[in-house]
Amino acid sequence: MIDAVGNPQSLLLLGGTSDIALATAEQYARQRPLRVVLAARPSERLERAAERLRETGSTVTTVAFDARDPDTHAEALDKAFADGDIDVALVAFGVLGDQERLWTDVDAAREMAEINYVAPVTVGVLLAQRMRRQGHGHIVALSSVAGERVRRSNFAYGSSKAGMDGFYTGLTEALRPSGVKVTVVRPGHVTSKMTEGLKEAPLAQSPEQVARIIVDSVRKGKELVWAPAQFRYVMSVLRHLPRAVFRRLPF
């Protein structure tokens, strides 16, 4: 259970090598060691992530999880919950991809959609089932400001995040009577492995900065947050710009 000051005893990271997810686990572990389950494709990178979190004093286990294989998702979630209840689960996997290839290559587009939209929906349904069964829990879905108004430069990626965002925003309402909570987090540019090599955008954040926002949002029970908070106002303006004006913006 999450204690009175908002600290969980157990944490599931779906996307267990995500920079943001690992930084979030470290934020929680600074308060007290916890039980962490890392779910990702087996690799040396996953093992390094597990060792990194064990250094915090936390108990860490790994579960094989492949976002592109939905037939295995139920089994992966069963293993993640096998050692007890999960207090907080982060849905933190996704791919950015080559934005020009994504709208000209069918295979690339399908792979991106399967990872960024289909898989989050699958695991969202499964997490909701298991948390309703245990009677408590908090799901954190890492969305993106890119999905709030899709722009030409990354419309394939943005469209997948728009769909994922919509699903978890709706799941927030569907789960409300059960007591299971959902927080949708919309980061802007995050300086991480995912964005390595890209030009840094305005209001860029580090994984640690986003992690602090996640921890604070779960503690306060917030349902929707931007990272950083200023993006709420930026996106409010951009959403309402006429299309003729929006297409002239330099991004």
Side-chain angles (χ1 to χ4, degrees), residues 17 134 156:
T17 60
Q134 69 185 20

Side-chain angles (χ1 to χ4, degrees), residues 5 11 35 123 140 166 214 226:
V5 294
L11 182 65
R35 178 169 59 86
V123 300
V140 178
I214 291 171
W226 287 257

Side-chain angles (χ1 to χ4, degrees), residues 79-250:
K79 291 179 179 177
F81 280 75
D83 291 331
D85 291 357
I86 296 293
D87 295 330
V88 176
L90 269 68
V91 181
F93 56 87
V95 292
L96 187 58
D98 181 314
Q99 299 308 305
E100 289 303 297
R101 185 183 175 202
L102 285 176
W103 73 272
T104 58
D105 185 314
V106 170
D107 292 336
R110 184 181 65 243
E111 178 179 6
M112 180 274 302
E114 289 172 350
I115 294 172
N116 288 3
Y117 177 68
V118 176
V121 169
T122 301
V123 300
V125 172
L126 294 168
L127 285 171
Q129 291 174 349
R130 284 154 180 76
M131 288 188 171
R132 288 175 67 193
R133 193 179 305 145
Q134 69 185 20
H136 68 96
H138 201 126
I139 301 169
V140 178
L142 286 182
S143 179
S144 172
V145 297
E148 291 196 64
R149 184 166 186 182
V150 177
R151 61 189 193 270
R152 164 64 182 86
S153 62
N154 67 352
F155 69 90
Y157 170 79
S159 67
S160 69
K161 285 299 186 179
M164 183 257 201
D165 191 292
F167 175 81
Y168 280 94
T169 300
L171 190 64
T172 305
E173 302 304 325
L175 288 175
R176 191 182 302 280
S178 72
V180 176
K181 297 180 179 180
V182 180
T183 298
V184 176
V185 182
R186 294 173 176 170
H189 183 100
V190 180
T191 52
S192 64
K193 292 188 294 289
M194 187 175 181
T195 59
E196 190 173 357
L198 297 180
K199 182 180 178 181
E200 188 169 300
L203 300 178
Q205 298 270 278
S206 69
E208 290 73 24
Q209 288 173 306
V210 178
R212 285 194 288 271
I213 291 170
I214 291 171
V215 169
D216 181 67
S217 299
V218 172
R219 182 175 293 120
K220 295 177 179 177
K222 293 183 178 180
E223 296 175 344
L224 177 61
V225 293
W226 287 257
Q230 295 97 309
F231 258 120
R232 176 178 184 176
Y233 307 105
V234 172
M235 296 312 299
S236 179
V237 172
L238 293 179
R239 279 197 307 271
H240 293 93
L241 283 179
R243 191 169 183 177
V245 176
F246 185 76
R247 67 164 57 102
R248 294 192 183 100
L249 295 179

